[in-house]
Amino acid sequence: TVDVPKAFTTINLDGGALTLLGTDWSASGTLTIGSGTTLTVGDGATTSDLTVGVTAIDGGTLNVTAGGGFTNTTAVTGGSNADTGSILLGAGSDVLTVGSSGSLTAASVDLGADNDSFTFTAGGTLTGTVSGGAATDSLILTGSGGGTGSFDLDNQTAFESLSISGGDDWTLTGTGIGFTTIDVTGGTLALGSGSTATVTASGTVTLDATTVTVNDGSSLSAGSIAGGDNGVILDIATGGSVTSTGAITFGAGVDALTVSSGATLSASSI
């Protein structure tokens, strides 16, 4: 752990773990995080920030904690990700986390090859687009319970699974059509609020201990929808649409399905 802010030209990390505390950390050139290496900005309590020019993460982990801030300012040189303010994660199963009140700013983030994950915590801020890259990648929305979070699906691409947990109240907007599976456990989920959301999973949408509201102009489409044993409320508001090419099933808990006038519900069976 280092708590004396410094300005560098390059930061190269290869093995072990490093936590940066305090403001005004910077690397005007390249930040490199090698395989098996973890870089954490902030400790969840200290206001901390890191600003870098170019970021290259090859099998390492970059965590932006509560109160932490990470900004990528200049172009990534070479490759297909030479967009201003891009973050390119190399081959390897990379993990990128934005904590509550943490922030991630970049024109684009590419998690690269292998099975990667991007965790976005309620209260965090994302500016730019995150791509899961090749292989099977996970978009994880989470929190500590009782809070509120929002995520614009137009800010993500190439993720195969979407997982929402932690007991917070989430609102999704934008378009997320490339998922294979979606899992929502605890809290509430609203599709569209003030703007619309289009969410599609080619496989199964699993719901448990949650309330899901599909608002006017928004839609949820899936291969099938399965409720767990801890109670599910599925509310399709006027102008909302839910489509399941397979069945919609509910578990052993107390469940409710509400289809308002002007809403659309289609399934092979319920």
Side-chain angles (χ1 to χ4, degrees):
T1 299
V2 182
D3 60 4
V4 180
K6 298 287 185 179
F8 299 94
T9 301
T10 61
I11 299 176
N12 298 309
L13 306 177
D14 187 11
L18 176 66
T19 299
L20 299 181
L21 302 179
T23 58
D24 299 327
W25 284 99
S26 67
S28 59
T30 301
L31 164 68
T32 303
I33 305 176
S35 179
T37 305
T38 299
L39 173 63
T40 301
V41 181
D43 60 0
T46 306
T47 299
S48 308
D49 65 72
L50 170 64
T51 300
V52 303
V54 176
T55 303
I57 304 177
D58 187 4
T61 299
L62 172 64
N63 291 317
V64 183
T65 69
F70 180 82
T71 302
N72 207 83
T73 58
T74 60
V76 172
T77 57
S80 60
N81 292 278
D83 300 319
T84 298
S86 295
I87 300 174
L88 174 63
L89 284 69
S93 296
D94 301 306
V95 177
L96 180 62
T97 302
V98 175
S100 172
S101 75
S103 62
L104 174 62
T105 302
S108 64
V109 180
D110 187 348
L111 299 184
D114 290 325
N115 301 331
D116 308 306
S117 66
F118 174 52
T119 298
F120 184 79
T121 309
T125 302
L126 170 64
T127 303
T129 301
V130 178
S131 171
T136 302
D137 308 295
S138 301
L139 172 61
I140 302 168
L141 306 181
T142 189
S144 56
T148 59
S150 61
F151 192 86
D152 185 348
L153 293 169
D154 290 334
N155 288 341
Q156 64 78 40
T157 184
F159 285 95
E160 286 70 37
S161 72
L162 170 63
S163 174
I164 303 175
S165 62
D168 296 272
D169 298 329
W170 281 94
T171 299
L172 297 183
T173 56
T175 301
I177 60 176
F179 299 115
T180 301
T181 61
I182 298 174
D183 184 90
V184 183
T185 303
T188 67
L189 172 62
L191 301 186
S193 180
S195 58
T196 61
T198 301
V199 182
T200 301
S202 59
T204 300
V205 173
T206 304
L207 310 174
D208 197 19
T210 188
T211 297
V212 176
T213 303
V214 182
N215 287 302
D216 184 18
S218 296
S219 64
L220 172 64
S221 302
S224 62
I225 299 175
D229 292 334
N230 296 294
V232 173
I233 298 174
L234 179 57
D235 182 8
I236 312 171
T238 299
S241 173
V242 171
T243 301
S244 175
T245 55
I248 297 177
T249 60
F250 294 95
V254 177
D255 307 299
L257 173 62
T258 302
V259 183
S260 298
S261 175
T264 300
L265 173 62
S266 175
S268 63
S269 63
I270 300 175

